[in-house]
Amino acid sequence: HPDDAATDPFARFRDSRNTRICIYAGTLGIVNDVGYLVDLAAELRKLDHDTRFVILGNGAEKKNIERRIQHEGLGDRIFLLDPVRRADLPRYLQAADACFSTVKQVPALYDNSANKFFDALAAGRPIIINHGGWQAELIESNGLGLVLDHDYERSARRLATYLDEIADSSVSERIREFAGVEFDRDILFERWFRQGLLAAGRKYIS
């Protein structure tokens, strides 16, 4: 990742080249469970692992998250920023080591199709989630990131190890290639179009 402040939006948060940046970009609502990152950051501090969390967004839980960060003395590890324009988001995602998408422990939420998931893959960044469902299966079967749970101590250890392992790997190129094949808009439209017509009984399409 670039260290030049002119090109790296996270340069001010990096203590060294070993600093790992995880980004959450999205709504800070109750169902989003962004407080999960606060618990994770607290455990990473115990491990003395140089990981920083950057949260871009607004929502009903933002004040509560701010209070928790202050109360737990994590102001040097979690940074709450205002949302950025959609057109500017890729630059932030690409400057991070990994992207997070979190939800509360409610199984009905696990099969949501969060923009954060697709945005991360399009940017070639690993996606890290804290829930089950089809996204978890896709991540694990294709090496697209990490699926954590609510054992914060264990999850922090796994995250620290993973971030260090991918620091100099070709994971970004592989994720971009996967996203281009599996989630390209033209490919998705063609699949939807064909499946829709076949479901309607028009089986003559080759």
Side-chain angles (χ1 to χ4, degrees):
H1 298 300
D3 292 314
D4 184 352
T7 57
D8 181 5
F10 305 134
R12 57 190 166 128
F13 305 135
R14 298 184 189 276
D15 290 340
S16 72
R17 295 185 64 88
N18 292 323
T19 301
R20 311 297 181 217
I21 300 290
C22 293
I23 186 173
Y24 173 96
T27 304
L28 309 181
I30 294 175
V31 301
N32 304 108
D33 194 27
V34 181
Y36 179 88
L37 302 183
V38 180
D39 292 308
L40 209 53
E43 291 297 332
L44 285 163
R45 179 174 57 188
K46 294 177 185 177
L47 297 175
D48 197 27
H49 193 268
D50 191 10
T51 299
R52 305 289 181 265
F53 292 92
V54 177
I55 300 172
L56 300 176
N58 285 319
E61 288 295 293
K62 189 168 187 175
K63 291 294 184 184
N64 288 336
I65 294 169
E66 287 176 335
R67 282 193 287 268
R68 284 199 59 195
I69 292 171
Q70 293 174 1
H71 178 72
E72 299 187 33
L74 292 168
D76 61 338
R77 288 181 170 266
I78 307 181
F79 305 94
L80 273 173
L81 307 181
D82 290 332
V84 299
R85 294 186 310 159
R86 182 78 181 170
D88 295 332
L89 184 58
R91 183 169 73 95
Y92 286 81
L93 299 181
Q94 290 166 3
D97 292 277
C99 304
F100 263 83
S101 180
T102 56
V103 296
K104 289 184 73 66
Q105 288 183 282
V106 179
L109 299 173
Y110 294 172
D111 287 325
N112 75 95
S113 297
N115 285 338
K116 293 182 286 295
F117 180 85
F118 298 103
D119 288 343
L121 298 185
R125 305 327 293 155
I127 180 69
I128 301 175
I129 65 175
N130 68 340
H131 58 83
W134 70 268
Q135 292 170 66
E137 294 173 5
L138 198 68
I139 289 169
E140 292 185 325
S141 61
N142 294 279
L144 303 176
L146 200 58
V147 179
L148 303 178
D149 56 32
H150 284 71
D151 180 329
Y152 298 108
E153 181 180 355
R154 178 176 63 193
S155 291
R157 288 198 306 269
R158 291 186 62 212
L159 177 60
T161 299
Y162 179 76
L163 291 174
D164 289 340
E165 287 176 348
I166 66 170
D168 298 312
S169 72
S170 59
V171 64
S172 294
E173 182 179 341
R174 181 164 49 78
I175 290 174
R176 284 195 186 94
E177 182 179 348
F178 176 87
V181 172
E182 293 296 322
F183 296 119
D184 180 88
R185 287 183 179 180
D186 292 337
I187 295 173
L188 289 176
F189 177 79
E190 183 178 353
R191 287 179 184 171
W192 171 83
F193 183 73
R194 289 172 178 270
Q195 290 170 1
L197 289 180
L198 286 172
R202 300 177 65 178
K203 304 182 187 302
Y204 58 83
I205 297 177
S206 61

